[in-house]
Amino acid sequence: MNDRIRVPEVRLVGPNGEQVGIVPIAKALELARESDLDLVEVAPTARPPVAKLMDYGKFKYESAMKAREARKNQAHTIIKEIKLRPKIDPHDYETKKGHVVRFLKAGDKVKVTIMFRGREQSRPELGFRLLQRLADDVEELGFVESRPKQDGRNMIMVLGPHKKKAEAKAERAASREQDAAAGSA
């Protein structure tokens, strides 16, 4: 930037993006001072290097605002966890399945863990069948991201949503707006 540029000449680009041409560094700095702007090197590896006349403070501020906006709109993938037991009651299973459905609809991944105790550890096929049944039940909302695998006393499977987090968020917002419009009418 400005006096820190250590090359004899630069390809100068004006403040509105117009090509000025190849000029000596002294003339480029003089043009920058006259127009009350900074001379910023934008492509140092080019031959000759490319420099642009711009308000550097404004440029830094705008790029920081763009980065902040991008972070704000970024969807964070969250892994929710549901724990089950191999001998689960049908009603309890339906409740847990409801939680998995809710998480998948929200666009989150779900880690399903089956905990084995005592003699249950000698029957891992019970847990495998339960996980397979759960995967089949929520097939329209999500897919099996990692197959069921035994990990010590636990068996773990990860389900991923078909919809991206941002799509699910937009869909929820649209349904809320429809509900609000229906409620006020």
Side-chain angles (χ1 to χ4, degrees):
M1 191 175 106
N2 292 337
D3 295 325
R4 294 193 195 124
I5 300 174
R6 300 276 179 231
V7 289
E9 58 186 19
V10 292
R11 181 177 303 276
L12 190 62
V13 177
N16 300 322
E18 72 277 359
Q19 294 286 330
V20 176
I22 298 173
V23 295
I25 193 72
K27 186 168 188 256
L29 285 168
E30 186 180 312
L31 286 169
R33 276 191 214 100
E34 284 174 9
S35 55
D36 200 27
L37 295 170
D38 297 309
L39 182 68
V40 181
E41 199 171 36
V42 289
T45 56
R47 289 286 150 234
V50 179
K52 184 174 181 179
L53 294 173
M54 67 169 75
D55 185 352
Y56 189 65
K58 182 179 175 184
F59 170 74
K60 277 186 69 171
Y61 173 76
E62 286 173 353
S63 62
M65 293 309 285
K66 281 181 190 171
R68 184 190 209 174
E69 195 66 30
R71 277 195 308 273
K72 190 171 91 173
N73 293 334
Q74 192 174 31
H76 301 288
T77 304
I78 300 170
I79 297 181
K80 304 281 189 170
E81 186 172 13
I82 291 287
K83 292 189 175 187
L84 306 170
R85 302 279 315 223
K87 297 177 184 171
I88 189 169
D89 186 66
H91 181 265
D92 292 339
Y93 171 79
E94 290 300 320
T95 303
K96 296 286 188 173
K97 184 180 89 173
H99 293 315
V100 171
V101 166
R102 188 179 74 223
F103 295 148
L104 290 173
K105 279 184 179 175
D108 295 322
K109 290 182 181 183
V110 182
K111 177 180 172 184
V112 184
T113 304
I114 294 192
M115 302 173 296
F116 295 99
R117 276 198 206 142
R119 292 185 194 161
E120 292 173 348
Q121 290 177 39
S122 64
R123 303 282 308 276
E125 67 277 1
L126 292 174
F128 184 80
R129 270 189 266 152
L130 185 62
L131 288 175
Q132 207 58 47
R133 181 173 138 208
L134 181 65
D136 292 340
D137 287 349
V138 297
E139 194 172 18
E140 67 278 353
L141 295 171
F143 62 97
V144 177
E145 204 167 271
S146 73
R147 308 284 324 151
K149 58 180 174 268
Q150 188 82 29
D151 182 29
R153 292 176 168 227
N154 300 327
M155 186 174 279
I156 297 167
M157 173 178 76
V158 178
L159 297 169
H162 287 307
K163 283 189 231 168
K164 296 276 185 257
K165 181 88 172 177
E167 292 172 21
K169 205 173 183 182
E171 197 174 279
R172 274 199 317 268
S175 70
R176 276 195 208 115
E177 286 176 16
Q178 284 178 346
D179 291 347
S184 65

